[in-house]
Amino acid sequence: MDNSIREKFKVLFGKECDVYASSGRINLIGEHTDYNGGYVLPGAIDKCIMAGIAPNGTDKVKVFSIDYNEYAEFGLEEKDAPAQQWAKYIFGVCRETLKRGGKVEGFSAVFCGNIPLGAGLSSSAALESTFAYALNQIYGNGFDLFQLAKIGQATEHNYCGVKCGIMDQFASCFGKAGYLIRLNCKTLEYQYFPFSCEGYKLVLLDTCVKHELASSAYNKRRESCEKALEAIQQRHPDTETLSDAKRIWLEEVKAEIAEEDYLRAIHVIGEVQRVLDLCDALERKDFETVGELMYQTHFSLSRFYEVSCEELDFLNRVARKCDVTGSRVMGGGFGGCTINLVKEELYDQFLKTAIDLFTKRFGHAPKIYEVVSSDGARKL
Ligand code: GLA
């Protein structure tokens, strides 16, 4: 991939460039907890966005997307926002860097990627992290990785309309081959966990239902959590985030909040505990418990958070039937992938059954991605 970027860059801009990359992510558990101050357990994978970049001595950003076969050119002031969605991510990163006192001047770039779009693998965070990391290096801004992750997150909030948490950008910046990372999204303390489950495989099954995170559904979930938290804070003023709340406190305010907000909060409060339990089980190499917690998360995301869909629930049931150790919808939801922890000896049969049954039911096969852990943001 990096060679074709270098070649294309030369053809388009007549000079050499440096190449940077950042990865997509998986999340073993901890879904919709990040913007509630809870825990997440993501890791970077071997699918990435790569960009060749070099300053161009003008006040314009000139970018070519190999995958879209499209060119965009824009200035660096707020009024200069480009029309193409993919270019908005890059524009947002430039703007957020500038807002934080960083330097960005005109540059040229060529980029491409192999992260499936809309599959819940955070292709947009990888795009943001690639450019945030590259601009930081090129202009010597000296931001640390957390600041770079926040630049990506703020890009989503302010230029793409998604009020996301920090998980995706954190994973694409901090990822390390061979590790998952448990992040406390309230304190930003994190811990690397060896990503080794001997005798098991992790595999993603992509329903190919494109999730639309930008659609208001994601932001609406976030609002529900805020409403539930406000009600709890009336009685327990020291509760800083929904993740700090106890289930019993939620029951106290049940009659005062909408049924929908109550259901969302059940998920968040339960999920925070599941991350901790899963990490304990991982340390004991108790993969049966790890898997059971994954199934519980799926149930919770489907019933209480209502971010699953027919195709995802179908794959989850097939996994149970095939004695898959753990399975659940991964990422924001509304489509995308399930993540599955499967014993090696059951792996082939599971994939065969899942492909057969899914194709019979929905008329097309799910896509299969074997998970390979990888590094996050880097210069090649
Ligand atoms: C998306 C968001 C993340 C996180 C997940 C759900 O991927 O970008 O911040 O909220 O959904 O866990």
Side-chain angles (χ1 to χ4, degrees):
M1 214 152 79
D2 58 320
N3 281 338
S4 50
I5 287 177
R6 286 178 209 278
E7 275 165 31
K8 189 74 187 172
F9 194 96
K10 212 155 184 194
V11 171
L12 286 177
F13 302 113
K15 58 178 185 169
E16 304 292 326
C17 61
D18 285 328
V19 178
Y20 298 83
S22 182
S23 306
R25 61 106 188 88
I26 55 157
N27 184 30
L28 195 55
I29 200 161
E31 225 61 92
H32 292 278
T33 46
D34 57 354
Y35 51 86
N36 285 302
Y39 291 97
V40 291
L41 189 61
I45 56 172
D46 67 331
K47 299 191 187 306
C48 68
I49 300 278
M50 257 182 210
I53 307 183
N56 61 21
T58 75
D59 58 358
K60 293 275 183 295
V61 176
K62 304 174 181 191
V63 198
F64 182 72
S65 159
I66 294 181
D67 299 324
Y68 288 103
N69 195 24
E70 270 177 28
Y71 176 78
E73 187 170 318
F74 50 85
L76 287 163
E77 286 173 36
E78 201 60 34
K79 62 173 177 39
D80 297 327
Q84 296 103 316
Q85 182 60 34
W86 60 263
K88 288 197 171 108
Y89 293 107
I90 301 166
F91 176 72
V93 167
C94 296
R95 288 297 308 153
E96 292 297 335
T97 301
L98 289 163
K99 283 183 204 168
R100 286 164 176 74
K103 176 176 161 187
V104 181
E105 291 173 345
F107 62 87
S108 303
V110 169
F111 78 98
C112 63
N114 58 7
I115 307 174
L117 300 180
L121 301 179
S122 297
S123 53
S124 58
L127 179 56
E128 289 147 11
S129 299
T130 303
F131 278 85
Y133 187 89
L135 297 180
N136 192 45
Q137 294 253 311
I138 292 169
Y139 296 105
N141 287 329
F143 293 132
D144 65 23
L145 284 178
F146 265 122
Q147 288 168 304
L148 298 182
K150 285 181 181 168
I151 285 173
Q153 183 192 22
T155 295
E156 296 279 352
H157 286 204
N158 301 328
Y159 298 92
C160 309
V162 184
K163 301 286 177 199
C164 65
I166 193 71
M167 169 169 77
D168 302 347
Q169 292 78 8
F170 169 81
S172 64
C173 285
F174 282 78
K176 202 153 96 171
Y179 293 90
L180 296 172
I181 326 169
R182 184 176 72 190
L183 172 69
N184 178 329
C185 298
K186 185 169 139 188
T187 62
L188 296 186
E189 283 165 317
Y190 61 96
Q191 188 186 350
Y192 284 93
F193 271 77
F195 176 66
S196 65
C197 26
E198 303 97 52
Y200 292 80
K201 282 191 177 192
L202 263 187
V203 63
L204 307 177
L205 268 59
D206 185 355
T207 57
C208 303
V209 176
K210 297 280 171 244
H211 68 169
E212 233 338 311
L213 274 189
S215 71
S216 55
Y218 181 94
N219 295 345
K220 235 179 133 206
R221 299 293 180 287
R222 189 170 181 150
E223 280 166 24
S224 276
C225 294
E226 282 160 9
K227 286 189 203 141
L229 174 63
E230 273 165 31
I232 290 171
Q233 282 170 332
Q234 296 292 319
R235 289 164 192 250
H236 302 276
D238 292 340
T239 319
E240 281 178 51
T241 69
L242 191 52
S243 299
D244 300 322
K246 295 200 174 26
R247 177 65 189 268
I248 184 166
W249 299 351
L250 177 63
E251 296 306 323
E252 287 168 12
V253 301
K254 184 175 177 188
E256 296 157 22
I257 59 178
E259 162 89 5
E260 194 177 279
D261 303 344
Y262 169 74
L263 292 176
R264 307 301 182 243
I266 291 184
H267 166 73
V268 173
I269 295 171
E271 185 74 352
V272 169
Q273 187 57 44
R274 278 189 291 274
V275 182
L276 296 175
D277 293 347
L278 189 144
C279 289
D280 286 348
L282 260 191
E283 275 176 333
R284 297 194 306 272
K285 295 199 175 296
D286 173 1
F287 297 118
E288 291 306 312
T289 302
V290 168
E292 204 40 55
L293 289 161
M294 291 169 73
Y295 279 112
Q296 284 177 22
T297 289
H298 185 88
F299 180 86
S300 179
L301 285 169
S302 180
R303 289 290 184 81
F304 302 137
Y305 223 66
E306 295 181 275
V307 292
S308 187
C309 64
E310 211 188 324
E311 289 84 348
L312 288 163
D313 287 344
F314 183 86
L315 284 178
N316 187 257
R317 283 196 301 275
V318 172
R320 265 281 195 220
K321 244 205 229 150
C322 293
D323 287 329
V324 167
T325 307
S327 176
R328 66 176 195 80
V329 39
M330 191 185 73
F334 310 108
C337 294
T338 59
I339 178 168
N340 303 272
L341 179 67
V342 199
K343 282 201 181 100
E344 267 168 13
E345 63 267 27
L346 298 178
Y347 185 76
D348 292 342
Q349 187 57 44
F350 165 53
L351 290 191
K352 188 176 171 316
T353 310
I355 291 170
D356 282 356
L357 294 178
F358 192 92
T359 309
K360 260 189 214 129
R361 175 78 178 73
F362 297 106
H364 65 91
K367 289 193 182 137
I368 312 292
Y369 316 121
E370 240 181 71
V371 173
V372 179
S373 167
S374 159
D375 285 334
R378 58 204 182 270
K379 183 177 177 187
L380 297 191

